[in-house]
Amino acid sequence: MNLDTVKRAADTPGERQPYAELGMKRDEYDRVREILGRRPTSSELAIYSVMWSEHCSYKSSKVHLRQFGTKAPKSDALLVGMGENAGVVDVGDGWAATFKIESHNHPSYVEPHQGAATGVGGIVRDIMSMGARPIAVMDSLRFGGADQPDTRRVLPGVVEGISHYGNCLGLPNIGGEVVFDPCYIGNPLVNALCVGLLRKDQIKLATAPGPGNKVVLFGALTGPDGIGGASVLASATFEDESQAKRPSVQVGDPFMEKLLIECCLELYQADVVVGIQDLGAAGVSCATTELAAKGTGGMDVQLDLVPLRDPSLRPEEILMSESQERMMAVVTPDDIDAFMAICTKWDIPATVIGEVTDTGRLVMTWHGETIVDIPPGTAADEGPVYERPFAEPAGQAALNAASAAELPRPEDLRATLLQLFGSPNLASKEWVTSQYDRYVRGNTVLAQPADAGVLRISEAMPGAEETTRGIALATDGNGRYARLDPYAGAQLALSEAYRNVAVTGATPLAVTNCLNFGSPEDPEVMWQFAEAVRGLADACKILGVPVTGGNVSFYNQTGSTAIHPTPVVGVLGVIDDVAKRVRSGFTGEGDRVVLLGETREELSGSEWAHVAHGHLGGLPPVADLEAERALALVLTEAASRGLLTGSHDLSDGGLAVALAEACLARGVGCAVSLPGDDAFVDLFSESAARALVTVRPEAFDALAELCAAHEVPCYGLGGTGGGTLAVEGVLEIPVAELREVHEGALPAVFG
Amino acid sequence: MSAARVGVVTFPGTLDDQDAARAVRHAGGEAVPLWHADPDLKGVDAVFLPGGFSYGDYLRCGAISRFAPLMEELIPAARAGLPVLGTCNGFQILCEAHLLPGALMRNASLHYICRDQGVVVENTATPWTADFTEGQRIVLPIKHGEGRYVADEATLAALEANGQVVFRYVGNPNGSLNDIAGIRNEAGNIVGLMPHPEHAVEDLTGAPSTDGRGFFTSILKKLVNA
């Protein structure tokens, strides 16, 4: 068996290398040869192929994503922006929050349980590596039609994976989404979000400065997980038994991750970490190149010191392994004993595998022989960048012309509401959320089915100032809207998440996003992507909330059929006094029910068009961002003045569904009349920038004045109380009937 | 007078220790952290074994924890009358350590379940339930995958005959025999239950109930009056 050393590579320039099997284009491979002045060794090829993959390098998306920086609104809250493991925002009183959403779509289709579980694990480690304690997770999930057989394989597995990993890790799951649409049948979307808290002065970065500092790999042992590509490489280069079938989906151990969290926090507390990076996609390759590139510039690594779960692993496989629950830290020689002692306390294996140098080279040896010698920045930061061609899809104009305004309208609005309320997208998601622990750690103020999750923050970290503040988080996305108009669709996703945060009384502060699209090599998909990014960047500027980080997931398609373009947006907000958060829905009898915002006839892309007619066409609702901003100002000010007794945002299914959900929150009914002259439009239109609130009758005038000051339309609809949802002259439905329809739907499908 | 001291045990993988300690403090007690590897009860007046996934629930829930060095101290102390409360994984550990009879198996639904659960207090002759009244209906959250209480017929009959069933579910969530949510030992000082009182002590956070406070006021009164 030959070890492909740097010397051997120099001596055998003509040796054929499996760059194509590793997903590299010929010109990319040639560029590696040019950088190195020779052919890469097989280990170097492993590093470049994973670091220059779409997933790690953002080579197709980079030119568009730059707008999130160039158009970013000025924000005093932003402490760490894009480019680090996760963004960090100042939430006041010496506290900072870090949050990010990331996809694990493809693994969750192949192996739903482990795919979704390791999605949670990965995003949690991103948050840990910023120096934070992870405090909550949420999941934005999309599946094929609820009645499609494969959904019954994928959904229960995904939910169980999230449930098992997140619950065992001890992080409350406080919200998210579950959406069904046949376009996701071969490509479920599993987007996991984590939020963490830290003291402002405790931010850690992925950097390896200081020659002589030690590089420590700690956490789980390295095994043959997720290295299908490396097997190709090994088999092309070697003739040995390590080519046995390798699992291509990683397997998670949440117990190890829980220990890693507590261990990392103790390491931060003891101040023995100079730089830190989690090992996710591209494992050791990514961690070493990125740490070295952002530090003094060089690193020596003895790759044979990496502790292995499978001793037959070859160096190329170690470099590409995506074994979970691993971290890499840079530690000064003086602190190394203290570092190791803390790892021992938590039973965490930790091994010094190298040290920082000032050579500008990442050098790796395998039992004394040099197998990697590269400038780390060329792998980490200087990957290829593509200006992919894009073009409006051929049928786009025809699609936009087929408005839902032409569809036949129902006579019986009672039946229509019940039909929608029991349809999979609008039905209760308790079948899913009851499998998640929403209480652990004792700081959960609001969780599903509230519009946003809200957490108390005062007890997260030792040594931080006491505070009354809380944070709110919501994720939203609407693939149908984005299919009709990706520019507006991305803006509407942001609008809804922003509004969901505001209805709790919190002020929206910052944005994370997960951009789920088809193949970037398809110009029509690339157009959708370019439009969505442009729309989101423009909207962030108007709403004054910067993008702090996120993730792009391409190639979500089966054959040549792509999913609906699905930008999922997460918004984080802050509430100064978390005790003043507004509860969801109708919270008591005798309150005034008030509709805020303007209702237009906007039915294209709506749940009604989808459920009643299977129709998708026309243009989505207008994304009126100024109105959205004004509405949020009213909501947050009303909450801080204690005017509101309950709230709920209007979105999918319009006012009808919002009223029905508000009734179910505490089993309190209402009697309302509609403000407009078309009951159907009033009830089912999905105009944005609207919310439902309740106030004590004596507070109504103060709310109306506040609305007038911000030019937000305000309609008193009626009052809460009784056991029915009654819309004068239109419909009356007992709350119990609403509940039966709403809560029975998913159990009927999934058991 | 110094506050009563309640030990809160942390095993690797324990999750609700912070919540348990907070609940003790809210009731006016002092929460004393106890570490699994440290065979020292630090002179506490009572012990709370919180929930979580100790040792990842590997092998069987609680099966590895019972062998922790701390348990070598705790088991004889509990047998000698030290008040001990185990919730969720803590209950599982108490059963594995044979401080309580029976076992907790996978939920009948085969799903993990998190919900606000009605529970009836059946027995108040324990230091943890004295502030409740018998027959009182309370709401506490449950959150577990393996909470189905089972025991052989003779054990069940003895539990019922001796008044050792402390809590029963209203609407059985997991298939537990006799709707059992929690039990005590014969002496009454050791109580185990699947629901989580520590998540139902504050208005702002946790379950929409503060019924969990009764556990902590019960034990603190008992300790202060002792």
Side-chain angles (χ1 to χ4, degrees):
Chain A
M1 165 170 44
N2 284 325
L3 182 69
D4 196 25
T5 62
V6 168
K7 179 171 182 313
R8 187 172 171 278
D11 292 346
T12 56
E15 185 164 297
R16 189 204 157 270
Q17 294 193 281
Y19 62 87
E21 289 86 338
L22 291 167
M24 274 186 129
K25 302 274 191 277
R26 176 76 213 192
D27 57 332
E28 293 173 347
Y29 175 69
D30 287 342
R31 219 180 118 215
V32 173
R33 293 190 70 125
E34 193 187 315
I35 288 167
L36 299 177
R38 56 173 165 79
R39 77 162 173 88
T41 65
S42 53
S43 295
E44 290 165 340
L45 186 59
I47 292 175
Y48 281 103
S49 71
V50 290
M51 292 306 292
W52 287 8
S53 68
E54 185 67 58
H55 185 77
C56 291
S57 73
Y58 292 84
K59 58 190 169 190
S60 302
S61 55
K62 226 176 205 170
V63 294
H64 299 283
L65 298 178
R66 283 185 188 130
Q67 294 170 74
F68 293 143
T70 56
K71 292 181 182 171
K74 198 176 146 29
S75 165
D76 296 334
L78 192 62
L79 299 175
V80 174
M82 288 191 305
E84 280 292 334
N85 284 310
V88 183
V89 285
D90 188 343
V91 295
D93 294 339
W95 290 89
T98 174
F99 74 125
K100 187 175 163 185
I101 187 164
E102 203 165 72
S103 64
H104 232 217
N105 303 340
H106 299 113
S108 300
Y109 178 68
V110 176
E111 212 295 78
H113 181 114
Q114 291 298 340
T118 53
V120 176
I123 193 66
V124 168
R125 284 191 301 283
D126 272 334
I127 294 307
M128 283 159 63
S129 65
M130 297 308 297
R133 173 182 275 284
I135 57 166
V137 292
M138 354 188 21
D139 299 278
S140 175
L141 308 177
R142 283 171 174 75
F143 302 101
D147 53 355
Q148 291 182 280
D150 201 44
T151 301
R152 261 169 285 180
R153 171 185 73 95
V154 176
L155 181 144
V158 164
V159 171
E160 198 179 84
I162 292 167
S163 160
H164 179 65
Y165 202 100
N167 294 345
C168 190
L169 200 52
L171 292 178
N173 193 313
I174 58 168
E177 306 166 88
V178 181
V179 177
F180 300 92
D181 192 292
C183 77
Y184 304 111
I185 188 67
N187 278 274
L189 302 185
V190 175
N191 295 176
L193 180 147
C194 181
V195 59
L197 277 179
L198 65 162
R199 284 198 338 241
K200 250 169 82 172
D201 57 4
Q202 277 187 331
I203 297 171
K204 298 285 177 206
L205 297 176
T207 173
N213 282 342
K214 302 296 180 192
V215 176
V216 186
L217 181 63
F218 65 116
L221 305 184
T222 298
D225 307 77
I227 49 176
S231 304
V232 170
L233 196 145
S235 60
T237 316
F238 304 105
E239 296 295 330
D240 73 71
E241 67 282 7
S242 89
Q243 309 153 21
K245 279 269 183 200
R246 303 295 198 197
S248 64
V249 175
Q250 315 85 312
V251 174
D253 176 0
F255 173 56
M256 174 59 87
E257 183 116 327
K258 166 67 179 171
L259 298 184
L260 256 187
I261 291 176
E262 300 304 331
C263 179
C264 282
L265 286 163
E266 208 165 315
L267 293 169
Y268 301 149
Q269 193 66 20
D271 200 16
V272 292
V273 174
V274 176
I276 189 159
Q277 166 82 301
D278 65 301
L279 274 71
V284 171
S285 296
C286 183
T288 52
T289 54
E290 289 192 355
L291 282 169
K294 286 184 189 154
T296 310
M299 188 183 285
D300 285 348
V301 173
Q302 276 180 264
L303 202 58
D304 49 281
L305 295 181
V306 170
L308 301 179
R309 202 169 76 222
D310 171 355
S312 74
L313 284 193
R314 302 290 307 159
E316 299 85 352
E317 295 177 304
I318 295 170
L319 284 166
M320 294 176 93
S321 165
E322 297 189 351
S323 286
Q324 301 291 293
E325 293 94 24
R326 297 181 298 162
M327 305 281 284
M328 189 173 282
V330 176
V331 183
T332 67
D334 287 348
D335 288 334
I336 201 79
D337 288 345
F339 185 100
M340 292 298 183
I342 291 169
C343 289
T344 303
K345 174 184 167 188
W346 289 100
D347 292 326
I348 297 285
T351 312
V352 175
I353 63 162
E355 68 179 49
V356 177
T357 68
D358 55 9
T359 60
R361 309 288 292 186
L362 171 64
V363 178
M364 295 190 185
T365 58
W366 182 254
H367 298 292
E369 300 210 62
T370 303
I371 54 168
V372 172
D373 186 353
I374 64 170
T378 60
D381 306 320
E382 294 155 33
V385 175
Y386 294 133
E387 299 256 6
R388 302 254 189 217
F390 53 87
E392 186 178 299
Q396 193 72 26
L399 181 72
N400 292 145
S403 163
E406 317 301 324
L407 298 172
R409 307 229 172 143
E411 295 291 322
D412 183 350
L413 298 185
R414 184 184 197 277
T416 301
L417 172 52
L418 288 171
Q419 184 193 12
L420 256 62
F421 208 44
S423 69
N425 282 341
L426 297 176
S428 166
K429 300 306 181 305
E430 200 182 333
W431 190 91
V432 172
T433 56
S434 69
Q435 296 187 49
Y436 305 151
D437 182 349
R438 59 184 178 275
Y439 292 128
V440 63
R441 300 197 64 75
N443 293 314
T444 306
V445 176
L446 292 176
Q448 282 219 24
D451 292 311
V454 173
L455 296 161
R456 165 173 72 186
I457 65 179
S458 63
E459 295 188 25
M461 301 278 282
E465 271 182 64
E466 279 289 306
T467 177
T468 58
R469 290 169 196 258
I471 56 171
L473 268 167
T475 67
D476 283 291
N478 188 318
R480 289 199 311 270
Y481 290 170
R483 175 72 182 85
L484 296 178
D485 180 349
Y487 180 90
Q491 298 197 330
L492 288 163
L494 172 64
S495 282
E496 189 180 345
Y498 177 94
R499 189 183 329 130
N500 277 327
V501 164
V503 294
T504 68
T507 301
L509 214 58
V511 170
T512 183
N513 61 63
C514 194
L515 305 173
N516 306 277
F517 288 79
S519 167
E521 295 163 45
D522 177 343
E524 298 190 347
V525 169
M526 209 53 215
W527 176 82
Q528 295 173 330
F529 181 77
E531 283 295 288
V533 171
R534 192 169 67 83
L536 186 56
D538 288 347
C540 286
K541 189 175 172 117
I542 295 169
L543 292 177
V545 284
V547 172
T548 64
N551 165 243
V552 176
S553 175
F554 279 132
Y555 299 102
N556 292 288
Q557 59 183 56
T558 309
S560 62
T561 310
I563 59 165
H564 289 334
T566 311
V568 170
V569 178
V571 170
L572 179 131
V574 178
I575 181 164
D576 290 346
D577 182 354
V578 69
K580 291 189 172 167
R581 66 20 186 128
V582 182
R583 291 187 175 90
S584 197
F586 300 147
T587 57
E589 310 235 328
D591 287 346
R592 290 286 294 274
V593 177
V594 184
L595 173 65
L596 306 179
E598 196 59 64
T599 305
R600 303 181 199 86
E601 183 177 323
E602 294 182 306
L603 295 157
S604 293
S606 68
E607 281 296 332
W608 168 74
H610 177 66
V611 172
H613 294 282
H615 179 269
L616 180 60
L619 285 167
V622 173
D624 186 342
L625 300 163
E626 292 299 346
E628 206 68 70
R629 193 182 168 93
L631 175 67
L633 287 171
V634 166
L635 289 165
T636 52
E637 190 175 337
S640 76
R641 286 167 55 187
L643 298 178
L644 305 181
T645 55
S647 64
H648 191 24
D649 100 299
L650 263 63
S651 55
D652 304 348
L655 176 63
V657 167
L659 286 168
E661 287 174 342
C663 288
L664 291 193
R666 310 254 165 149
V668 175
C670 68
V672 298
S673 52
L674 297 173
D677 45 19
D678 183 334
F680 173 73
V681 170
D682 272 344
L683 286 173
F684 297 102
S685 167
E686 297 187 359
S687 297
R690 295 184 301 161
L692 201 58
V693 297
T694 56
V695 292
R696 295 303 304 160
E698 59 273 20
F700 179 78
D701 289 347
L703 177 68
E705 261 173 52
L706 187 58
C707 287
H710 290 285
E711 296 178 33
V712 171
C714 163
Y715 305 95
L717 299 183
T720 63
T724 65
L725 164 58
V727 181
E728 194 189 342
V730 180
L731 58 82
E732 181 163 8
I733 308 175
V735 173
E737 188 178 349
L738 286 171
R739 189 177 298 284
E740 195 183 318
V741 161
H742 193 57
E743 294 180 357
L746 291 197
V749 178
F750 298 105
Chain B
M1 188 182 64
S2 63
R5 303 172 75 240
V6 179
V8 176
V9 183
T10 301
F11 297 96
T14 294
L15 303 178
D16 299 320
D17 42 354
Q18 162 181 306
D19 307 73
R22 179 191 299 120
V24 169
R25 285 196 308 272
H26 275 251
E30 181 192 348
V32 180
L34 300 178
W35 181 242
H36 71 105
D38 195 1
D40 180 0
L41 290 174
K42 300 190 176 163
V44 295
D45 307 308
V47 169
F48 192 145
L49 289 170
F53 290 68
S54 61
Y55 294 97
D57 274 357
Y58 293 134
L59 190 56
R60 273 195 319 275
C61 306
I64 302 177
S65 302
R66 71 169 274 211
F67 295 108
L70 178 75
M71 293 300 284
E72 290 166 22
E73 295 295 308
L74 180 59
I75 291 171
R79 293 220 162 96
L82 181 74
V84 176
L85 180 72
T87 60
C88 200
N89 192 222
F91 184 18
Q92 294 163 342
I93 293 167
L94 290 173
C95 290
E96 286 286 343
H98 302 300
L99 289 170
L100 291 172
L104 294 143
M105 311 280 284
R106 190 105 184 106
N107 293 349
S109 68
L110 303 183
H111 291 304
Y112 181 99
I113 178 162
C114 174
R115 75 181 196 202
D116 305 319
Q117 174 69 43
V119 174
V120 173
V121 182
E122 296 274 322
N123 186 287
T124 56
T126 85
W128 302 96
T129 55
D131 269 4
F132 295 109
T133 53
E134 279 181 22
Q136 185 179 346
R137 188 176 158 164
I138 61 176
V139 172
L140 298 174
I142 56 166
K143 33 171 226 167
H144 58 247
E146 316 209 2
R148 179 165 57 95
Y149 183 77
V150 296
D152 61 50
E153 273 183 38
T155 304
L156 271 184
L159 286 173
E160 295 287 358
N162 299 339
Q164 285 177 252
V165 175
V166 184
F167 300 101
R168 254 187 256 276
Y169 296 114
V170 181
N172 193 331
N174 53 26
S176 287
L177 293 176
N178 294 16
D179 298 332
I180 288 174
I183 58 172
R184 64 172 176 88
N185 63 344
E186 267 191 81
N189 62 305
I190 305 172
V191 173
L193 74 164
M194 289 313 295
H196 290 262
E198 77 282 8
H199 291 319
V201 295
E202 295 185 273
D203 289 319
L204 181 65
T205 59
S209 150
T210 53
D211 293 338
R213 288 177 182 167
F215 289 75
F216 303 95
T217 55
S218 294
I219 188 68
L220 291 170
K221 274 183 202 163
K222 160 89 182 167
L223 296 176
V224 169
N225 295 332

